[in-house]
Short mmCIF file of all heavy atoms in Angstrom, two decimals:
data_model
loop_
_atom_site.label_atom_id
_atom_site.label_comp_id
_atom_site.label_asym_id
_atom_site.label_seq_id
_atom_site.Cartn_x
_atom_site.Cartn_y
_atom_site.Cartn_z
N THR A 19 -6.21 -1.33 -1.62
CA THR A 19 -5.50 -2.54 -1.99
C THR A 19 -5.04 -3.24 -0.70
O THR A 19 -5.10 -2.64 0.39
CB THR A 19 -4.25 -2.25 -2.85
OG1 THR A 19 -3.32 -1.51 -2.07
CG2 THR A 19 -4.63 -1.47 -4.11
N LEU A 21 -2.00 -3.90 0.22
CA LEU A 21 -0.88 -3.15 0.79
C LEU A 21 -1.35 -1.90 1.54
O LEU A 21 -0.88 -1.62 2.64
CB LEU A 21 0.11 -2.77 -0.30
CG LEU A 21 1.35 -2.00 0.14
CD1 LEU A 21 2.17 -2.82 1.13
CD2 LEU A 21 2.22 -1.62 -1.06
N THR A 50 -8.41 -5.07 -11.33
CA THR A 50 -7.05 -5.57 -11.36
C THR A 50 -6.14 -4.46 -11.88
O THR A 50 -6.40 -3.89 -12.93
CB THR A 50 -6.94 -6.81 -12.25
OG1 THR A 50 -7.83 -7.80 -11.74
CG2 THR A 50 -5.52 -7.36 -12.23
N GLU A 51 -5.12 -4.16 -11.10
CA GLU A 51 -4.17 -3.12 -11.48
C GLU A 51 -2.78 -3.73 -11.62
O GLU A 51 -2.46 -4.73 -10.98
CB GLU A 51 -4.17 -2.00 -10.44
CG GLU A 51 -5.53 -1.31 -10.34
CD GLU A 51 -5.54 -0.15 -9.37
OE1 GLU A 51 -4.49 0.22 -8.82
OE2 GLU A 51 -6.64 0.43 -9.20
N HIS A 52 -1.97 -3.13 -12.49
CA HIS A 52 -0.65 -3.66 -12.79
C HIS A 52 0.41 -2.58 -12.59
O HIS A 52 0.19 -1.43 -12.88
CB HIS A 52 -0.57 -4.10 -14.25
CG HIS A 52 -1.60 -5.09 -14.64
ND1 HIS A 52 -1.36 -6.42 -14.65
CD2 HIS A 52 -2.89 -4.93 -15.04
CE1 HIS A 52 -2.45 -7.08 -15.03
NE2 HIS A 52 -3.40 -6.18 -15.28
N THR A 53 1.55 -3.00 -12.06
CA THR A 53 2.74 -2.16 -12.06
C THR A 53 3.81 -2.97 -12.78
O THR A 53 3.55 -4.10 -13.22
CB THR A 53 3.24 -1.83 -10.63
OG1 THR A 53 3.68 -3.03 -10.01
CG2 THR A 53 2.14 -1.17 -9.82
N GLU A 54 4.99 -2.43 -12.86
CA GLU A 54 6.08 -3.17 -13.53
C GLU A 54 6.39 -4.48 -12.84
O GLU A 54 6.76 -5.45 -13.48
CB GLU A 54 7.33 -2.27 -13.56
CG GLU A 54 8.48 -2.88 -14.34
CD GLU A 54 9.66 -1.93 -14.40
OE1 GLU A 54 9.47 -0.70 -14.31
OE2 GLU A 54 10.78 -2.45 -14.51
N HIS A 55 6.20 -4.53 -11.52
CA HIS A 55 6.60 -5.71 -10.76
C HIS A 55 5.46 -6.43 -10.06
O HIS A 55 5.72 -7.45 -9.39
CB HIS A 55 7.63 -5.31 -9.70
CG HIS A 55 8.84 -4.69 -10.29
ND1 HIS A 55 9.79 -5.39 -10.99
CD2 HIS A 55 9.26 -3.39 -10.30
CE1 HIS A 55 10.74 -4.56 -11.41
NE2 HIS A 55 10.45 -3.33 -10.99
N ALA A 56 4.24 -5.97 -10.16
CA ALA A 56 3.16 -6.59 -9.40
C ALA A 56 1.80 -6.45 -10.09
O ALA A 56 1.59 -5.56 -10.89
CB ALA A 56 3.09 -5.95 -8.03
N VAL A 57 0.94 -7.37 -9.75
CA VAL A 57 -0.48 -7.34 -10.15
C VAL A 57 -1.28 -7.43 -8.85
O VAL A 57 -0.99 -8.27 -8.00
CB VAL A 57 -0.83 -8.51 -11.09
CG1 VAL A 57 -2.31 -8.51 -11.43
CG2 VAL A 57 0.02 -8.47 -12.35
N PHE A 58 -2.28 -6.55 -8.67
CA PHE A 58 -3.04 -6.55 -7.44
C PHE A 58 -4.46 -6.10 -7.70
O PHE A 58 -4.79 -5.61 -8.78
CB PHE A 58 -2.37 -5.67 -6.38
CG PHE A 58 -2.07 -4.27 -6.88
CD1 PHE A 58 -2.98 -3.26 -6.68
CD2 PHE A 58 -0.89 -3.98 -7.54
CE1 PHE A 58 -2.73 -1.98 -7.16
CE2 PHE A 58 -0.62 -2.70 -8.00
CZ PHE A 58 -1.54 -1.70 -7.80
N THR A 59 -5.32 -6.29 -6.71
CA THR A 59 -6.73 -5.92 -6.81
C THR A 59 -7.00 -4.68 -5.99
O THR A 59 -6.54 -4.57 -4.85
CB THR A 59 -7.62 -7.08 -6.31
OG1 THR A 59 -7.35 -8.24 -7.09
CG2 THR A 59 -9.09 -6.74 -6.37
#
Side-chain angles (χ1 to χ4, degrees):
T19 66
L21 181 60
T50 302
E51 298 183 4
H52 304 265
T53 66
E54 186 177 332
H55 302 288
V57 176
F58 53 92
T59 300

